[in-house]
Amino acid sequence: GAGVSQSPSNKVTEKGKDVELRCDPISGHTALYWYRQRLGQGLEFLIYFQGNSAPDKSGLPSDRFSAERTGESVSTLTIQRTQQEDSAVYLCASSRTSGALGETQYFGPGTRLLVL
Amino acid sequence: AQTVTQSQPEMSVQEAETVTLSCTYDTSESDYYLFWYKQPPSRQMILVIRQEAYKQQNATENRFSVNFQKAAKSFSLKISDSQLGDAAMYFCAYRSGFGNEKLTFGTGTRLTIIP
């Protein structure tokens, strides 16, 4: 597609429920990232996928957070037993490849999650 | 760990005037990349400009330019001839030249354009 897409655009859930957020990267982009943006703050790195390599999960805040990616396609971020502190905008980005060239990351429009 | 600091939570500028947004960063690395992203109310993060640390020449993209001072670890963004469409949150970001490709962001500067 023309850009990174994410769904849903907005999600309201009750505390304790599980949610799944989806990201479709730009076709041909091997690297995919998830970030979290709390209200009025900058973006925090969550997880990074590069091709078929093991993902870098160093930014995940707790074991309630997990993400999957099949090959170089769609990724799903899952939050189990949601808490009110999980309320944020979750942004996905993709780039052509990793390496020393510093490829630009292109962002999707994000999913705004509200946990009641 | 790298940190990025934006000390101006809010800035405003008259339409057609010039404004400079500040950013400083802390790193022990010699190879890295710096970015300015714009986030309008639509939430979409849009790349404004990027700078490779090994390049001495400051990057320029139309009305946007940077003042990259490597020794001072400073990376400011200058917007010339400000337009109403420039109103947004602006984030400075750092990316290491090694290992994980993650971006480390500052807390952002909200730019208001006064007609």
Side-chain angles (χ1 to χ4, degrees), chain A residues 12-25:
Chain A
V12 181
T13 190
E14 294 179 348
K15 178 181 173 181
K17 295 287 179 72
D18 297 351
V19 295
E20 281 190 356
L21 313 179
R22 177 188 169 106
C23 172
D24 281 272

Side-chain angles (χ1 to χ4, degrees), chain A residues 1-87:
Chain A
V4 179
S5 60
Q6 292 186 245
S7 60
S9 178
N10 295 281
K11 176 73 176 178
V12 181
T13 190
E14 294 179 348
K15 178 181 173 181
K17 295 287 179 72
D18 297 351
V19 295
E20 281 190 356
L21 313 179
R22 177 188 169 106
C23 172
D24 281 272
I26 293 171
S27 178
H29 281 196
T30 60
L32 186 146
Y33 316 77
W34 283 98
Y35 294 87
R36 177 173 70 178
Q37 185 178 26
R38 288 181 161 141
L39 185 63
Q41 298 186 21
L43 280 68
E44 308 168 75
F45 166 75
L46 296 177
I47 188 168
Y48 158 60
F49 295 90
Q50 172 53 46
N52 295 317
S53 302
D56 181 337
K57 305 179 182 180
S58 61
L60 294 179
S62 77
D63 59 8
R64 296 186 296 104
F65 288 72
S66 63
E68 293 183 347
R69 186 185 188 197
T70 304
E72 297 179 358
S73 60
V74 170
S75 175
T76 303
L77 177 69
T78 301
I79 309 174
Q80 296 178 310
R81 305 181 302 282
T82 51
Q83 304 294 313
Q84 289 180 332
E85 71 231 32
D86 300 334
S87 296

Side-chain angles (χ1 to χ4, degrees), chain B residues 30-73:
Chain B
S30 59
D31 185 19
Y32 53 88
Y33 304 84
L34 297 165
F35 303 84
W36 279 98
Y37 279 89
K38 167 185 176 181
Q39 187 180 42
S42 66
R43 298 199 308 248
Q44 186 90 40
M45 295 285 282
I46 303 165
L47 177 68
V48 174
I49 199 166
R50 58 175 280 160
Q51 174 81 41
E52 291 82 357
Y54 63 84
K55 290 186 178 179
Q56 292 187 332
Q57 186 173 8
N58 289 324
T60 300
E61 289 287 343
N62 301 314
R63 298 183 295 107
F64 299 87
S65 62
V66 299
N67 183 4
F68 174 47
Q69 301 289 329
K70 191 172 184 179
K73 296 180 182 174

